[in-house]
Structures are given as C-alpha cells and as structure tokens.
Amino acid sequence: MKNGNSKTILYLDCFSGISGDMFLGAMLDLGLDKEEFLSELTKLPLHDYEVEIKKALKGGITGTDVMVKTHEHHPHRGLKQIYEIIDNSKLKSDVKQKSKEAFYKLAEAEGKVHDKPPEEIHFHEVGAVDSIVDIVGSCILMDMLNPGAVYASPVNVGSGTVNCAHGILPVPAPATIELLKGVPVYAAEESGEFTTPTGALLLTIFVDEFGSMPLGIPEKSGYGLGKAERKSPNVLRAVLLKEYCNTGDIHTNDLEKDKIAILEANVDDMNPELYEGAIESLFQKGALDVFLTPIIMKKTRPGIKITCLCPPDKKQHLAETMLRETATLGVRELVSDRIKLFREIKEINTPLGNLRVKIAKIGDEIIRTTPEYEDMKCLAKNNKMPLLKAYEIVNQFLAG
C-alpha cells in the first residue's frame, strides 16, 4: 500500500488523539469518494451493520462524523476468525494484506499485555463488527488515497481511566501504550481516553514518521469527528500536502522523490561465511539494497559495516532480521529523502535476441539504458560467446 503517489503527503494532526471512526471521518472529509468506500466495504462477508456518514459540528469545527451501527454484542473473535473474514472477502489483495497485518499487530500487543501468543488472543471490543469495519475500512481508504508518505504529530493519549471489557483500566489502555512504543506521546490537561487501541494501531501501520508538519504545499484538509464531548475540539485533522522541492533547473515533475530507510550495523565477530545468508534473507524480506563495507573498529580490529536500504514501512521487520541473523547487538536507523530518476523496464529485440532493458529518464529525456544482467547471461550462453562480448554487441546496438 506504500510506494504510492510520491508527490502526495498525508499529515495526521493528533492534537485530540485518534480513534478508528475519527480516522475514517478525516479521510472521507478530504474528499475521498464515499460511494466507492461503501461499495468496497460490501465486499466484506459481514452483515447486520450499517455505516452512517454525515457532516456535523464539533467544538466549532465542521467535519465528517462516521458511525458504524450494529446489533452485535461484542463477540470474542480470535485472530483466525478475523483472518477468515478477510480472506473470504472480495477486497483487493493489498487491502487484505494490510488488514491482516493490522490485526496481527493488535494481537501481538494484546498478547504481550496478557502473556499469550498472538494466535491465542480473543479480541473483545476490537473483535466486534464495528471495529472490524473501522480497521478494514481504514485500509480501504488508505488504498484509495495511496499517498507517497504519511506523517503524524505527537499523539495526545489522554489520562484518567476507561471502562472496558477487562474492567476499569488506566488511560492510555495497556494495549494502546504497547502499540505506541517508540511514538512521541503526551497527555493534555483534559482527562479522558483520547487515543483508542484502534487509533494507535492505525498510526503504527500507516505512519512513516512522527513530528511537526513536513515541508509541503497544503492542498486539502479534513476533520474526523470523535464521539465524546470535550472542552477542546474532539477532532482528528488530516492534511494533504503536495511535495515541495526546489531542484534548480530541473522541474519537480521530472524526478521521483520518496522516503528511504537506512539501516546500519557494525560487526567484528562474525564468520564471513554467514554474510551471504543474511543478505539473501534481507532481500527476501523487502530490502531494496544490501551492501558490506570494510571498517576498522575499536582496538584496531577489522570489521564489516552492513547497510540495508528499504522502504520505511519495512524498517522494523528488516532491523529485527539484522539482529537475528548477524552478530550485531544493535542497528542504527535513519529515514532520508531520496530523489530518483524515473525508471521503466522494456523488452527489446537485439542482434543476439530479445532482452529486457531498464530505461532511466528525467522527464522525457532518456539518461541511460541498461541491459538486465540475467537476460545478458542467457543471451551470452545461447549465442555461445563470453558475457563481455555479448555486452559489447548489445551496447553498440543500443548506442546506434
């Protein structure tokens, strides 16, 4: 669901916290097609519920209020049951995958709170139809918007206590605080549950980075209304920004720009034979590139710096892979802007046969055309010639 429109940035302003219905409202208030959203929801094999979407006023701010109405009384569905609901739906594959990822993260958080494996967790409030619709509906709307990057402000979690299926619990609820590990949070003066477990979950699966609003040109804003009445406006603000990039003589539209995570670890006590397996594992799990750099470490010991480049939404998984499959005790992480040439793959006919080439462009200008290595190996073998000779023939053909 990531790697979408690289020129569009979504910013979530959680000054009054976040919940599932607030997120749905904010996204729809940005102008996403309500009928398309409701049509996609019907692909879930769930019944006896309806979604009410209306404009309303909260704390002097006009926004969208979303309410999922159902007669179901909070059944205790487990992870397997929810997976079956999602798998048996006719939703897009990306939406199914993201929805299942969300529920697994939630099961992990609940499991840590209750000391159980994720597979043994039975969701209470979050297992009910309205919460399933909130989570899957959020994945549908994010698929519809398909932003290139998602940012969020520090999160107002609230304070005090909340009454739930487990009794009276402190705010933020245990599952909420578990999900928000690593996220900047605070509690304003007004008490109450400002951020729900569902809201915290949506932040963990969608947001690339937390902080102040990023550089960009605001295009749209939307407000999702919460249900509780408070002194301050109980709304979630979503802002859609167009990327701003000053690249001199090159127009922004001529280049691609996205975010990339850089993971690094220094290793000086690992069998060199093990690096190949670790690199292969990182690539299999979504790394864009992995490389090794010789370094000199403390006490002049020779070592290796292993660097992994990956999409920001995969950094946690790949950092864990580095910790498990190398001898390092820690991984450094950095999320950075990346400017790229536009790239496309085409198949062409050459004197040696058909092969795929990668074409890199700035706007309409072709910067370079590069033959795919695996195809070149096959051409060299089929034509019974050295690979170097095959490259000479193909590159001469491309240059002509």
Side-chain angles (χ1 to χ4, degrees):
M1 206 169 294
K2 289 296 170 82
N3 302 323
N5 183 353
S6 61
K7 298 175 182 63
T8 301
I9 302 166
L10 174 65
Y11 182 71
L12 301 173
D13 192 355
C14 306
F15 68 92
S16 191
I18 180 173
S19 63
D21 54 356
M22 291 168 74
F23 183 84
L24 294 178
M27 295 291 281
L28 289 167
D29 209 50
L30 282 174
L32 292 179
D33 192 313
K34 180 177 73 172
E35 297 307 321
E36 181 184 349
F37 167 64
L38 294 174
S39 175
E40 288 296 312
L41 274 180
T42 62
K43 296 178 180 179
L44 270 175
L46 292 174
H47 308 285
D48 196 28
Y49 79 93
E50 60 178 304
V51 181
E52 182 182 274
I53 302 170
K54 63 181 181 181
K55 285 284 189 177
L57 196 67
K58 182 74 70 170
I61 295 177
T62 301
T64 297
D65 185 13
V66 178
M67 180 175 289
V68 182
K69 297 180 178 180
T70 175
H71 300 297
E72 190 179 52
H73 297 291
H74 302 301
H76 296 176
R77 289 187 177 93
L79 192 62
K80 182 180 177 182
Q81 291 170 288
I82 291 178
Y83 273 12
E84 286 174 354
I85 290 171
I86 295 169
D87 287 332
N88 292 331
S89 74
K90 296 180 181 179
L91 293 164
K92 294 179 183 178
S93 59
D94 284 352
V95 174
K96 286 184 180 182
Q97 181 183 344
K98 202 67 178 179
S99 299
K100 290 169 70 173
E101 176 191 332
F103 277 103
Y104 189 81
K105 280 184 178 289
L106 185 59
E108 279 188 317
E110 292 278 6
K112 287 183 180 179
V113 172
H114 301 295
D115 194 24
K116 289 183 179 180
E119 293 76 15
E120 292 182 15
I121 288 296
H122 280 76
F123 300 113
H124 297 279
E125 286 93 341
V126 185
V129 165
D130 52 350
S131 293
I132 295 173
V133 171
D134 279 350
I135 293 170
V136 177
S138 297
C139 293
I140 290 170
L141 288 171
M142 280 296 288
D143 183 73
M144 290 170 60
L145 183 64
N146 197 23
V150 183
Y151 292 78
S153 69
V155 185
N156 186 354
V157 293
S159 61
T161 59
V162 61
N163 195 0
C164 65
H166 296 290
I168 296 176
L169 296 176
V171 170
T176 301
I177 201 67
E178 184 66 36
L179 286 162
L180 291 175
K181 282 184 176 177
V183 174
V185 301
Y186 67 98
E189 292 182 6
E190 197 172 356
S191 63
E193 186 184 33
F194 282 52
T195 296
T196 66
T198 299
L201 175 67
L202 298 178
L203 292 174
T204 64
I205 64 171
F206 293 140
V207 176
D208 300 311
E209 195 171 335
F210 291 85
S212 56
M213 188 179 295
L215 177 66
I217 301 170
E219 293 191 312
K220 296 179 182 178
S221 62
Y223 295 86
L225 308 187
K227 300 300 180 283
E229 295 296 335
R230 300 192 181 121
K231 295 177 183 177
S232 58
N234 184 13
V235 301
L236 171 69
R237 179 167 66 172
V239 181
L240 207 57
L241 303 111
K242 183 173 69 175
E243 176 188 84
Y244 174 78
C245 179
N246 184 1
T247 55
D249 294 333
I250 299 174
H251 295 292
T252 303
N253 291 339
D254 292 336
L255 294 166
E256 283 190 286
K257 186 177 179 184
D258 64 3
K259 293 283 184 181
I260 191 169
I262 305 168
L263 306 176
E264 293 182 343
N266 295 351
V267 181
D268 66 357
D269 57 351
M270 180 167 151
N271 182 343
E273 295 175 344
L274 301 178
Y275 283 109
E276 183 179 7
I279 290 172
E280 286 180 0
S281 182
L282 289 167
F283 275 120
Q284 289 170 0
K285 294 174 182 177
L288 300 173
D289 197 7
V290 184
F291 52 92
L292 307 178
T293 307
I295 55 175
I296 300 298
M297 298 177 62
K298 62 184 179 183
K299 299 181 180 178
T300 67
R301 288 201 299 260
I304 293 291
K305 179 172 73 173
I306 180 167
T307 304
C308 173
L309 307 182
C310 66
D313 60 330
K314 295 185 183 294
K315 67 179 181 179
Q316 192 70 27
H317 188 41
L318 289 169
E320 184 176 330
T321 300
M322 290 174 70
L323 291 168
R324 289 181 180 276
E325 301 197 23
T326 73
T328 188
L329 298 177
V331 175
R332 301 182 295 277
E333 68 171 55
L334 171 69
V335 176
S336 175
D337 291 324
R338 179 173 64 156
I339 297 175
K340 305 184 296 181
L341 296 170
F342 284 102
R343 286 166 287 181
E344 60 178 327
I345 302 291
K346 282 190 176 180
E347 185 171 317
I348 64 171
N349 186 23
T350 75
L352 300 181
N354 289 350
L355 86 156
R356 293 167 300 159
V357 294
K358 185 181 295 178
I359 301 172
K361 298 179 178 180
I362 294 179
D364 294 328
E365 179 189 358
I366 296 177
I367 302 301
R368 67 184 65 91
T369 303
T370 309
E372 289 291 293
Y373 173 70
E374 293 299 330
D375 288 13
M376 287 299 304
K377 282 203 307 182
C378 290
L379 287 185
K381 183 178 179 181
N382 293 340
N383 287 275
K384 298 180 180 179
M385 64 174 59
L387 183 58
L388 180 61
K389 181 65 176 176
Y391 264 110
E392 288 177 0
I393 294 171
V394 169
N395 285 332
Q396 186 176 13
F397 172 78
L398 292 174

